[in-house]
Amino acid sequence: MHELSIATAIVEQAERLARADGADRVSAVTVRVGELAGVVPDALHFAFEVARDGTALAGARLEVEAVPALAWCGGCAEEFAVGMPPFFWCPHCDRPSQELRSGRELEITAVQA
């Protein structure tokens, strides 16, 4: 389960950010997770609970914002959802897309003390 290594990295980064702001505890961390990031949100929540023990995030909650996978079609200038499994064929003009606009995100967007 690679979510444990991701959760550990989130905890470590959130601790650094909190300490840089002069806080010794963190109550919540918000992360954006793209649909194509290869992360299972439920597994990430579970792994976060394990990774936070004994740290400044003990008792902190993890808030996950899901980011849909969206592609751009240069042929008809339309943005469309690619779904899971991803399908990069434009439903508007029936052409393949070569530009993924969102869906691979995995980033911390907020740390609350």
Side-chain angles (χ1 to χ4, degrees):
M1 157 173 24
H2 75 284
E3 281 83 359
L4 183 56
S5 62
I6 293 168
T8 300
I10 290 170
V11 168
E12 290 170 354
Q13 184 63 28
E15 278 187 308
R16 280 194 288 276
L17 292 169
R19 287 193 180 114
D21 283 344
D24 59 350
R25 306 293 297 151
V26 173
S27 63
V29 179
T30 303
V31 295
R32 292 177 40 138
V33 177
E35 185 177 14
L36 302 178
V39 176
V40 177
D42 287 341
L44 183 60
H45 278 283
F46 177 77
F48 181 79
E49 289 180 13
V50 172
R52 71 184 181 180
D53 284 345
T55 72
L57 282 81
R61 71 184 182 282
L62 178 66
E63 298 172 359
V64 177
E65 295 176 0
V67 180
L70 299 174
W72 174 257
C73 177
C76 68
E78 290 287 331
E79 189 173 72
F80 62 94
V82 299
M84 274 306 283
F87 187 68
F88 293 92
W89 207 265
C90 180
H92 304 286
C93 71
D94 201 30
R95 294 185 194 170
S97 171
Q98 297 181 359
E99 183 180 343
L100 184 64
R101 290 236 164 136
S102 67
R104 288 188 275 190
E105 297 81 356
L106 182 54
E107 59 191 358
I108 296 173
T109 58
V111 175
Q112 292 179 327

XYZ file of all heavy atoms in Angstrom:
842
model
N 0.854 -1.176 0.000
C 0.000 0.000 0.000
C 0.897 1.237 0.000
O 1.516 1.575 0.993
C -0.923 -0.047 1.224
C -1.415 1.296 1.596
S -2.627 1.632 2.829
C -2.831 0.540 4.020
N 1.004 1.886 -1.156
C 1.858 3.074 -1.244
C 1.228 4.290 -0.578
O 1.892 5.299 -0.377
C 2.233 3.354 -2.699
C 1.132 3.945 -3.509
N 0.067 3.212 -3.970
C 0.929 5.209 -3.936
C -0.739 4.009 -4.644
N -0.245 5.216 -4.638
N -0.037 4.198 -0.227
C -0.682 5.304 0.480
C -0.008 5.585 1.816
O -0.007 6.733 2.274
C -2.172 5.026 0.688
C -3.037 5.283 -0.522
C -3.071 4.124 -1.507
O -2.406 3.104 -1.284
O -3.775 4.247 -2.520
N 0.588 4.576 2.443
C 1.279 4.799 3.711
C 2.493 5.708 3.515
O 2.718 6.616 4.314
C 1.699 3.480 4.360
C 2.361 3.609 5.736
C 1.464 4.364 6.716
C 2.708 2.235 6.289
N 3.245 5.520 2.455
C 4.390 6.406 2.204
C 3.916 7.812 1.845
O 4.540 8.806 2.235
C 5.308 5.844 1.123
O 4.640 5.721 -0.102
N 2.808 7.914 1.152
C 2.238 9.233 0.832
C 1.756 9.910 2.105
O 2.033 11.096 2.329
C 1.095 9.098 -0.193
C 1.653 8.634 -1.536
C 0.335 10.410 -0.348
C 0.597 8.201 -2.526
N 1.055 9.175 2.965
C 0.560 9.733 4.229
C 1.720 10.175 5.111
O 1.659 11.241 5.747
C -0.302 8.715 4.954
N 2.786 9.391 5.148
C 3.960 9.755 5.940
C 4.569 11.054 5.418
O 4.933 11.934 6.205
C 5.001 8.614 5.914
O 4.398 7.444 6.453
C 6.229 8.964 6.721
N 4.656 11.195 4.111
C 5.189 12.420 3.515
C 4.280 13.616 3.818
O 4.768 14.726 4.095
C 5.354 12.247 2.011
N 2.972 13.414 3.805
C 2.028 14.489 4.134
C 2.235 14.927 5.581
O 2.297 16.128 5.870
C 0.569 14.040 3.898
C 0.299 13.893 2.401
C -0.416 15.025 4.533
C -1.028 13.217 2.077
N 2.352 13.975 6.497
C 2.554 14.290 7.911
C 3.865 15.060 8.101
O 3.901 16.082 8.790
C 2.533 13.005 8.777
C 3.032 13.275 10.179
C 1.121 12.424 8.806
N 4.930 14.596 7.486
C 6.230 15.260 7.629
C 6.189 16.682 7.092
O 6.684 17.616 7.723
C 7.318 14.455 6.918
C 7.638 13.148 7.606
C 8.541 12.237 6.786
O 8.845 12.563 5.613
O 8.946 11.193 7.326
N 5.588 16.866 5.916
C 5.512 18.203 5.322
C 4.606 19.120 6.150
O 4.929 20.287 6.367
C 5.003 18.116 3.882
C 4.981 19.441 3.160
C 6.360 20.057 2.982
O 7.368 19.359 2.907
N 6.426 21.358 2.943
N 3.489 18.608 6.627
C 2.577 19.414 7.445
C 3.248 19.834 8.749
O 3.070 20.963 9.203
C 1.291 18.652 7.728
N 4.036 18.936 9.346
C 4.786 19.285 10.562
C 5.768 20.414 10.279
O 5.873 21.361 11.060
C 5.556 18.073 11.100
C 4.733 17.129 11.924
C 5.579 16.043 12.558
O 6.344 15.370 11.838
O 5.462 15.874 13.792
N 6.488 20.322 9.160
C 7.443 21.384 8.800
C 6.737 22.722 8.603
O 7.211 23.754 9.071
C 8.210 21.011 7.532
C 9.366 20.056 7.761
C 10.293 19.979 6.566
N 9.708 19.275 5.436
C 9.711 17.960 5.278
N 10.268 17.184 6.184
N 9.164 17.417 4.216
N 5.611 22.691 7.899
C 4.868 23.925 7.654
C 4.337 24.524 8.950
O 4.390 25.741 9.150
C 3.716 23.661 6.675
C 4.115 23.316 5.246
C 2.916 22.811 4.454
C 4.739 24.524 4.565
N 3.834 23.671 9.834
C 3.301 24.154 11.107
C 4.412 24.770 11.955
O 4.238 25.854 12.532
C 2.631 23.010 11.861
N 5.543 24.098 12.042
C 6.662 24.629 12.836
C 7.186 25.937 12.265
O 7.583 26.825 13.010
C 7.765 23.585 12.934
C 7.375 22.465 13.871
C 8.556 21.578 14.233
N 8.084 20.534 15.129
C 8.053 19.255 14.840
N 8.503 18.829 13.673
N 7.588 18.379 15.709
N 7.205 26.049 10.946
C 7.642 27.290 10.305
C 6.722 28.457 10.668
O 7.152 29.609 10.705
C 7.697 27.120 8.787
N 5.459 28.132 10.958
C 4.488 29.160 11.369
C 4.401 29.300 12.886
O 3.548 30.012 13.405
C 3.099 28.834 10.815
C 2.967 29.162 9.338
O 3.827 29.910 8.813
O 2.008 28.678 8.705
N 5.257 28.584 13.602
C 5.289 28.694 15.053
C 4.276 27.833 15.785
O 4.069 28.002 16.985
N 3.643 26.912 15.109
C 2.645 26.033 15.744
C 3.300 24.703 16.121
O 4.187 24.225 15.429
C 1.486 25.787 14.795
N 2.841 24.135 17.223
C 3.387 22.839 17.633
C 2.382 21.703 17.445
O 2.706 20.541 17.659
C 3.893 22.880 19.074
C 2.809 23.243 20.073
O 1.721 23.650 19.644
O 3.061 23.118 21.282
N 1.151 22.015 17.050
C 0.115 21.012 16.793
C -0.589 21.357 15.488
O -0.704 22.527 15.123
C -0.948 20.977 17.895
C -0.468 20.804 19.291
C 0.159 19.524 19.721
N -0.622 18.313 19.696
C -0.061 17.130 19.513
N 1.232 17.031 19.300
N -0.769 16.045 19.549
N -1.094 20.347 14.842
C -1.879 20.516 13.619
C -3.228 19.850 13.842
O -3.292 18.716 14.324
C -1.162 19.876 12.404
C -2.047 19.890 11.174
C 0.155 20.585 12.128
N -4.309 20.558 13.508
C -5.644 19.994 13.699
C -6.233 19.418 12.414
O -7.093 18.533 12.468
C -6.598 21.056 14.264
O -6.752 22.110 13.339
N -5.777 19.901 11.263
C -6.311 19.400 9.992
C -5.333 19.669 8.861
O -4.599 20.661 8.880
C -7.649 20.052 9.678
N -5.360 18.779 7.895
C -4.576 18.925 6.669
C -5.522 18.681 5.506
O -6.281 17.709 5.508
C -3.406 17.916 6.593
C -2.631 18.087 5.299
C -2.491 18.053 7.782
N -5.468 19.560 4.514
C -6.280 19.397 3.317
C -5.354 19.076 2.152
O -4.345 19.747 1.959
C -7.074 20.686 3.006
O -7.870 21.022 4.142
C -7.976 20.496 1.797
N -5.717 18.038 1.415
C -4.943 17.658 0.234
C -5.877 17.538 -0.960
O -7.050 17.189 -0.826
C -4.177 16.329 0.421
C -3.117 16.453 1.484
C -5.104 15.185 0.740
N -5.345 17.863 -2.131
C -6.064 17.669 -3.393
C -5.513 16.410 -4.031
O -4.296 16.272 -4.173
C -5.858 18.856 -4.324
C -6.514 20.122 -3.835
C -6.203 21.265 -4.767
N -6.272 20.772 -6.129
C -6.831 21.411 -7.146
N -7.323 22.582 -6.974
N -6.873 20.888 -8.343
N -6.398 15.501 -4.402
C -5.986 14.238 -5.005
C -6.707 14.077 -6.341
O -7.928 14.028 -6.393
C -6.308 13.044 -4.077
C -5.934 11.733 -4.749
C -5.596 13.193 -2.745
N -5.922 14.006 -7.400
C -6.477 13.836 -8.731
C -6.981 12.427 -8.974
O -6.454 11.455 -8.434
N -7.981 12.338 -9.806
C -8.608 11.053 -10.135
C -7.604 10.064 -10.731
O -7.732 8.852 -10.555
C -9.751 11.319 -11.129
C -10.579 10.146 -11.501
C -11.731 10.526 -12.428
O -11.753 11.632 -13.003
O -12.629 9.677 -12.572
N -6.578 10.568 -11.404
C -5.576 9.714 -12.036
C -4.270 9.651 -11.245
O -3.261 9.166 -11.753
C -5.281 10.212 -13.460
C -6.469 10.278 -14.411
C -6.036 10.831 -15.766
C -7.120 8.916 -14.577
N -4.270 10.116 -10.006
C -3.051 10.135 -9.196
C -2.668 8.756 -8.678
O -1.574 8.575 -8.151
C -3.207 11.108 -8.026
N -3.543 7.799 -8.804
C -3.243 6.452 -8.339
C -3.325 6.305 -6.835
O -2.663 5.452 -6.257
N -4.131 7.153 -6.198
C -4.287 7.132 -4.748
C -5.743 6.806 -4.423
O -6.662 7.441 -4.956
C -3.902 8.504 -4.134
C -4.163 8.518 -2.648
C -2.447 8.827 -4.431
N -5.936 5.841 -3.541
C -7.278 5.464 -3.094
C -7.581 6.287 -1.837
O -6.910 6.121 -0.812
C -7.367 3.957 -2.792
C -8.739 3.587 -2.265
C -7.002 3.145 -4.025
N -8.544 7.220 -1.899
C -8.816 8.096 -0.753
C -9.058 7.364 0.564
O -8.541 7.779 1.604
C -10.045 8.887 -1.191
C -9.916 8.948 -2.680
C -9.368 7.595 -3.063
N -9.827 6.278 0.564
C -10.075 5.544 1.812
C -8.786 4.969 2.381
O -8.560 4.992 3.595
C -11.097 4.427 1.588
C -12.511 4.952 1.399
O -12.771 6.110 1.790
O -13.354 4.207 0.868
N -7.936 4.441 1.515
C -6.647 3.905 1.965
C -5.756 5.024 2.484
O -5.015 4.837 3.455
C -5.958 3.153 0.828
N -5.826 6.199 1.863
C -5.031 7.341 2.323
C -5.500 7.787 3.703
O -4.674 8.079 4.575
C -5.115 8.495 1.329
C -4.273 9.724 1.666
C -2.790 9.367 1.755
C -4.496 10.811 0.615
N -6.801 7.817 3.933
C -7.328 8.172 5.258
C -6.823 7.202 6.320
O -6.393 7.615 7.398
C -8.865 8.191 5.256
C -9.458 9.451 4.736
N -9.516 10.619 5.456
C -10.021 9.736 3.543
C -10.088 11.562 4.738
N -10.398 11.048 3.566
N -6.905 5.919 6.022
C -6.446 4.908 6.968
C -4.946 5.061 7.239
O -4.502 5.056 8.392
C -6.745 3.503 6.437
C -6.231 2.417 7.328
C -6.906 2.078 8.494
C -5.057 1.747 7.013
C -6.415 1.075 9.329
C -4.565 0.745 7.840
C -5.244 0.415 9.001
N -4.170 5.219 6.180
C -2.719 5.366 6.317
C -2.361 6.639 7.084
O -1.409 6.650 7.874
C -2.061 5.370 4.943
N -3.127 7.697 6.882
C -2.885 8.956 7.592
C -3.070 8.764 9.097
O -2.278 9.277 9.896
C -3.823 10.042 7.066
C -3.639 11.386 7.719
C -2.604 12.215 7.338
C -4.503 11.816 8.709
C -2.424 13.452 7.937
C -4.341 13.051 9.318
C -3.294 13.876 8.931
N -4.095 8.017 9.485
C -4.327 7.751 10.908
C -3.145 7.010 11.530
O -2.787 7.259 12.680
C -5.621 6.969 11.104
C -6.857 7.801 10.825
C -8.153 7.028 11.014
O -8.119 5.927 11.594
O -9.194 7.539 10.577
N -2.539 6.124 10.779
C -1.364 5.394 11.259
C -0.141 6.320 11.311
O 0.583 6.357 12.310
C -1.072 4.170 10.358
C 0.252 3.520 10.720
C -2.217 3.166 10.437
N 0.079 7.077 10.258
C 1.276 7.925 10.133
C 1.288 9.096 11.115
O 2.354 9.557 11.515
C 1.395 8.448 8.705
N 0.130 9.567 11.522
C 0.066 10.759 12.379
C 0.376 10.465 13.841
O 0.711 11.376 14.611
C -1.300 11.425 12.269
C -2.392 10.624 12.938
C -3.755 11.204 12.763
N -4.695 10.335 13.488
C -5.974 10.528 13.547
N -6.512 11.552 12.926
N -6.740 9.704 14.225
N 0.252 9.198 14.270
C 0.483 8.845 15.674
C 1.888 9.237 16.119
O 2.867 9.005 15.413
C 0.280 7.345 15.899
C -1.191 6.961 15.918
O -2.042 7.864 16.039
O -1.488 5.760 15.799
N 1.967 9.853 17.295
C 3.246 10.250 17.862
C 3.862 11.472 17.221
O 5.042 11.759 17.424
N 3.080 12.199 16.422
C 3.580 13.408 15.759
C 2.751 14.614 16.178
O 1.794 14.480 16.952
C 3.494 13.272 14.219
O 2.116 13.347 13.815
C 4.106 11.972 13.722
N 3.099 15.762 15.643
C 2.334 16.986 15.902
C 0.935 16.913 15.291
O 0.098 17.766 15.549
C 3.082 18.199 15.344
N 0.691 15.884 14.490
C -0.613 15.720 13.852
C -1.483 14.669 14.545
O -2.537 14.302 14.041
C -0.451 15.340 12.379
C -0.104 16.497 11.444
C 1.358 16.830 11.486
C -0.559 16.210 10.052
N -1.047 14.175 15.694
C -1.843 13.183 16.421
C -3.238 13.763 16.657
O -3.383 14.842 17.208
C -1.167 12.828 17.738
N -4.249 13.086 16.186
C -5.621 13.576 16.322
C -6.074 14.485 15.196
O -7.249 14.859 15.143
N -5.179 14.849 14.286
C -5.551 15.730 13.168
C -6.437 14.973 12.186
O -6.369 13.754 12.074
C -4.302 16.245 12.461
N -7.263 15.701 11.471
C -8.100 15.077 10.453
C -7.523 15.386 9.063
O -6.890 16.421 8.860
C -9.549 15.525 10.561
C -9.831 16.939 10.171
C -11.301 17.319 10.405
N -11.537 18.679 9.969
C -11.185 19.762 10.658
N -10.577 19.639 11.821
N -11.421 20.961 10.192
N -7.751 14.472 8.163
C -7.318 14.636 6.778
C -8.539 14.932 5.931
O -9.512 14.169 5.939
C -6.634 13.361 6.280
C -6.165 13.381 4.829
C -5.049 14.409 4.636
C -5.700 11.995 4.409
N -8.494 16.023 5.218
C -9.575 16.392 4.300
C -9.059 16.202 2.884
O -8.031 16.783 2.518
C -10.006 17.836 4.538
C -10.562 18.060 5.933
C -10.827 19.524 6.260
O -10.557 20.393 5.402
O -11.286 19.778 7.373
N -9.744 15.383 2.114
C -9.328 15.081 0.750
C -10.292 15.734 -0.231
O -11.493 15.483 -0.181
C -9.277 13.561 0.505
C -8.917 13.259 -0.939
C -8.282 12.902 1.450
N -9.751 16.578 -1.094
C -10.533 17.193 -2.167
C -10.255 16.410 -3.442
O -9.121 16.380 -3.921
C -10.141 18.657 -2.362
C -10.455 19.545 -1.186
C -9.971 20.976 -1.380
O -9.374 21.297 -2.436
O -10.183 21.776 -0.468
N -11.269 15.769 -3.979
C -11.117 14.994 -5.211
C -11.097 15.926 -6.412
O -11.931 16.832 -6.524
C -12.264 14.001 -5.346
N -10.126 15.717 -7.309
C -9.996 16.523 -8.519
C -10.297 15.617 -9.716
O -9.603 14.626 -9.935
C -8.570 17.116 -8.650
C -8.445 17.939 -9.913
C -8.220 17.942 -7.421
N -11.327 15.963 -10.488
C -11.667 15.115 -11.636
C -10.603 15.214 -12.734
O -9.934 16.232 -12.878
C -13.005 15.684 -12.116
C -13.001 17.102 -11.657
C -12.212 17.117 -10.370
N -10.478 14.139 -13.498
C -9.561 14.126 -14.638
C -10.265 14.775 -15.821
O -11.306 14.284 -16.279
C -9.151 12.703 -14.967
N -9.702 15.887 -16.292
C -10.284 16.617 -17.414
C -9.252 16.773 -18.522
O -8.090 17.091 -18.261
C -10.754 18.005 -16.971
C -11.827 18.058 -15.885
C -12.082 19.497 -15.447
C -13.115 17.415 -16.375
N -9.691 16.556 -19.755
C -8.828 16.729 -20.917
C -9.363 17.880 -21.764
O -10.526 18.271 -21.654
C -8.789 15.447 -21.745
N -8.499 18.398 -22.622
C -8.841 19.496 -23.522
C -8.717 18.998 -24.952
O -7.722 18.362 -25.317
C -7.902 20.670 -23.294
C -8.085 21.791 -24.260
C -7.294 22.090 -25.334
C -9.110 22.774 -24.256
N -7.767 23.187 -25.987
C -8.894 23.637 -25.347
C -10.209 23.007 -23.435
C -9.717 24.715 -25.627
C -11.033 24.087 -23.726
C -10.781 24.928 -24.797
N -9.712 19.299 -25.739
C -9.688 18.929 -27.150
C -9.316 20.159 -27.969
O -10.061 21.144 -27.981
C -11.044 18.391 -27.594
S -11.092 17.989 -29.360
N -8.185 20.101 -28.631
C -7.757 21.216 -29.474
C -8.596 21.342 -30.729
O -8.697 22.417 -31.311
N -9.208 20.254 -31.158
C -10.015 20.263 -32.371
C -11.287 21.076 -32.252
O -11.650 21.821 -33.160
N -11.966 20.974 -31.099
C -13.237 21.684 -30.943
C -13.227 22.635 -29.750
O -14.253 23.244 -29.446
C -14.395 20.704 -30.837
S -14.401 19.712 -29.328
N -12.094 22.753 -29.079
C -11.925 23.668 -27.945
C -12.897 23.362 -26.802
O -13.438 24.263 -26.171
C -12.055 25.124 -28.389
N -13.093 22.076 -26.536
C -13.959 21.656 -25.439
C -13.146 20.912 -24.380
O -12.212 20.185 -24.693
C -15.066 20.723 -25.943
C -16.111 21.389 -26.795
C -17.054 22.282 -26.005
O -17.283 22.020 -24.812
O -17.565 23.247 -26.601
N -13.537 21.099 -23.130
C -12.955 20.354 -22.029
C -13.931 19.236 -21.678
O -15.139 19.446 -21.687
C -12.751 21.290 -20.838
C -11.955 20.684 -19.714
C -11.636 21.709 -18.641
O -12.569 22.095 -17.901
O -10.475 22.121 -18.550
N -13.385 18.038 -21.376
C -14.268 16.923 -21.067
C -13.645 16.010 -20.024
O -12.425 15.940 -19.878
C -14.618 16.131 -22.340
C -13.442 15.508 -23.035
C -13.076 14.200 -22.766
C -12.696 16.233 -23.957
C -11.988 13.615 -23.407
C -11.613 15.664 -24.603
C -11.252 14.346 -24.325
N -14.508 15.310 -19.293
C -14.059 14.351 -18.286
C -13.583 13.087 -18.989
O -14.243 12.606 -19.909
C -15.198 14.023 -17.325
N -12.438 12.565 -18.538
C -11.899 11.359 -19.177
C -12.368 10.082 -18.499
O -12.311 9.021 -19.088
C -10.360 11.383 -19.267
C -9.897 12.565 -20.091
C -9.717 11.389 -17.910
N -12.837 10.187 -17.240
C -13.370 9.032 -16.529
C -12.312 8.045 -16.075
O -11.123 8.275 -16.213
N -12.795 6.936 -15.515
C -11.917 5.857 -15.052
C -12.474 4.538 -15.531
O -13.614 4.226 -15.214
C -11.836 5.847 -13.529
C -10.793 6.757 -12.956
S -9.145 6.529 -13.582
C -8.615 5.061 -12.732
N -11.755 3.754 -16.289
C -10.408 4.053 -16.763
C -10.459 5.217 -17.748
O -11.476 5.441 -18.410
C -9.959 2.760 -17.435
C -11.227 2.060 -17.810
C -12.246 2.479 -16.791
N -9.352 5.957 -17.842
C -9.358 7.155 -18.681
C -9.554 6.845 -20.167
O -9.004 5.884 -20.692
C -7.982 7.785 -18.431
C -7.161 6.736 -17.794
C -8.069 5.741 -17.175
N -10.360 7.689 -20.794
C -10.630 7.583 -22.222
C -10.452 8.978 -22.803
O -11.244 9.881 -22.528
C -12.053 7.058 -22.452
C -12.370 6.768 -23.885
C -11.750 5.717 -24.547
C -13.280 7.544 -24.573
C -12.043 5.442 -25.876
C -13.576 7.278 -25.900
C -12.960 6.224 -26.557
N -9.401 9.161 -23.586
C -9.015 10.485 -24.067
C -9.581 10.812 -25.448
O -8.941 11.510 -26.225
C -7.488 10.611 -24.071
C -6.895 10.602 -22.696
C -6.470 9.423 -22.108
C -6.792 11.773 -21.973
C -5.946 9.409 -20.832
C -6.269 11.772 -20.696
C -5.844 10.590 -20.128
N -10.742 10.329 -25.719
C -11.386 10.597 -27.008
C -12.493 11.603 -26.777
O -13.368 11.396 -25.944
C -11.955 9.298 -27.576
C -12.045 9.311 -29.064
C -13.136 9.643 -29.791
C -11.013 9.000 -29.991
N -12.858 9.554 -31.121
C -11.555 9.166 -31.273
C -9.676 8.614 -29.876
C -10.818 8.952 -32.426
C -8.952 8.393 -31.018
C -9.514 8.555 -32.279
N -12.459 12.710 -27.504
C -13.422 13.795 -27.303
C -14.846 13.336 -27.649
O -15.100 12.895 -28.778
C -13.041 14.998 -28.154
S -14.201 16.380 -27.956
N -15.762 13.479 -26.694
C -17.147 13.088 -26.965
C -17.890 14.107 -27.838
O -18.968 13.819 -28.351
C -17.769 13.015 -25.571
C -16.968 13.966 -24.750
C -15.573 13.908 -25.307
N -17.288 15.294 -28.029
C -17.956 16.349 -28.795
C -17.653 16.262 -30.291
O -18.538 16.435 -31.122
C -17.565 17.723 -28.263
C -17.839 17.893 -26.804
N -19.103 18.056 -26.293
C -17.013 17.887 -25.735
C -19.045 18.155 -24.975
N -17.778 18.043 -24.616
N -16.373 16.004 -30.636
C -16.004 16.002 -32.052
C -15.395 14.684 -32.513
O -14.978 14.574 -33.665
C -15.051 17.156 -32.357
S -13.395 16.936 -31.673
N -15.312 13.699 -31.612
C -14.822 12.365 -31.944
C -13.365 12.364 -32.417
O -13.012 11.700 -33.371
C -15.741 11.719 -32.993
C -15.623 10.207 -33.003
O -15.341 9.633 -31.932
O -15.785 9.610 -34.083
N -12.511 13.132 -31.697
C -11.072 13.157 -31.968
C -10.314 12.847 -30.688
O -10.800 13.113 -29.595
C -10.631 14.542 -32.440
C -11.169 14.962 -33.764
C -10.545 16.285 -34.145
N -11.270 16.884 -35.240
C -11.086 18.111 -35.659
N -10.211 18.883 -35.063
N -11.788 18.572 -36.667
N -9.099 12.340 -30.817
C -8.309 12.088 -29.607
C -7.764 13.389 -29.029
O -7.436 14.323 -29.760
C -7.171 11.193 -30.100
C -7.036 11.538 -31.547
C -8.424 11.894 -32.023
N -7.684 13.423 -27.709
C -7.099 14.579 -27.024
C -5.682 14.244 -26.611
O -5.377 13.099 -26.255
C -7.917 14.924 -25.779
O -7.232 15.893 -25.013
N -4.811 15.236 -26.611
C -3.435 15.036 -26.189
C -3.076 15.921 -25.012
O -1.920 16.012 -24.640
C -2.486 15.300 -27.352
C -2.693 14.331 -28.486
C -1.750 14.573 -29.631
O -0.932 15.472 -29.623
N -1.868 13.733 -30.646
N -4.078 16.574 -24.423
C -3.796 17.490 -23.317
C -4.669 17.163 -22.101
O -5.882 17.336 -22.137
C -4.039 18.933 -23.736
C -3.703 19.921 -22.646
C -3.943 21.363 -23.057
O -4.073 21.659 -24.258
O -4.023 22.199 -22.145
N -4.018 16.706 -21.035
C -4.706 16.468 -19.775
C -4.610 17.739 -18.944
O -3.516 18.229 -18.665
C -4.071 15.297 -19.023
C -4.733 14.877 -17.731
C -6.151 14.362 -17.991
C -3.901 13.816 -17.033
N -5.738 18.299 -18.575
C -5.755 19.565 -17.829
C -5.728 19.371 -16.325
O -5.230 20.211 -15.593
C -6.990 20.374 -18.217
C -6.919 20.906 -19.634
C -7.098 22.381 -19.594
N -6.685 23.007 -20.820
C -7.370 23.957 -21.422
N -8.527 24.338 -20.933
N -6.894 24.520 -22.496
N -6.319 18.304 -15.828
C -6.319 18.039 -14.387
C -6.538 16.558 -14.159
O -6.975 15.842 -15.048
C -7.408 18.851 -13.679
O -8.697 18.411 -14.073
N -6.203 16.141 -12.932
C -6.448 14.768 -12.564
C -5.244 14.038 -12.012
O -5.373 12.938 -11.503
N -4.052 14.657 -12.097
C -2.848 14.011 -11.561
C -2.359 14.683 -10.278
O -1.295 14.341 -9.780
C -1.724 14.029 -12.592
C -1.983 13.064 -13.735
C -0.799 12.965 -14.618
N -0.857 14.058 -15.585
C -0.079 14.170 -16.625
N 0.846 13.283 -16.848
N -0.209 15.184 -17.443
N -3.115 15.615 -9.743
C -2.699 16.365 -8.557
C -2.549 15.465 -7.333
O -3.284 14.517 -7.153
C -3.735 17.458 -8.218
C -3.905 18.525 -9.256
C -4.813 18.136 -10.405
O -5.291 17.002 -10.489
O -5.040 19.009 -11.255
N -1.578 15.812 -6.520
C -1.402 15.229 -5.198
C -0.624 16.280 -4.417
O 0.603 16.327 -4.462
C -0.652 13.909 -5.249
C -0.454 13.197 -3.913
C -1.775 12.985 -3.191
C 0.258 11.875 -4.102
N -1.378 17.181 -3.752
C -0.739 18.323 -3.108
C -1.451 18.742 -1.846
O -2.663 18.592 -1.720
C -0.692 19.498 -4.084
C -2.061 19.935 -4.572
C -2.041 20.908 -5.734
O -0.961 21.310 -6.171
O -3.137 21.269 -6.197
N -0.671 19.252 -0.903
C -1.227 19.824 0.319
C -1.673 21.237 -0.011
O -0.906 22.024 -0.560
C -0.177 19.859 1.437
C 0.250 18.434 1.823
C -0.716 20.603 2.663
C 1.410 18.381 2.794
N -2.922 21.559 0.311
C -3.420 22.903 0.040
C -3.631 23.720 1.320
O -3.713 24.936 1.242
C -4.733 22.864 -0.773
O -5.707 22.110 -0.052
C -4.498 22.248 -2.133
N -3.726 23.055 2.465
C -3.929 23.785 3.714
C -3.485 22.946 4.913
O -3.654 21.725 4.904
C -5.410 24.178 3.892
N -2.916 23.643 5.893
C -2.543 23.028 7.159
C -3.107 23.934 8.249
O -2.777 25.121 8.296
C -1.010 22.901 7.308
C -0.645 22.369 8.686
C -0.442 22.010 6.223
N -3.984 23.387 9.103
C -4.595 24.171 10.186
C -3.986 23.786 11.511
O -3.890 22.603 11.851
C -6.103 23.916 10.244
C -6.857 24.461 9.062
C -8.331 24.156 9.190
O -8.729 23.140 9.716
N -9.152 25.062 8.674
N -3.583 24.806 12.245
C -3.017 24.574 13.587
C -4.130 24.382 14.582
O -5.268 24.668 14.368
C -2.158 25.753 13.988
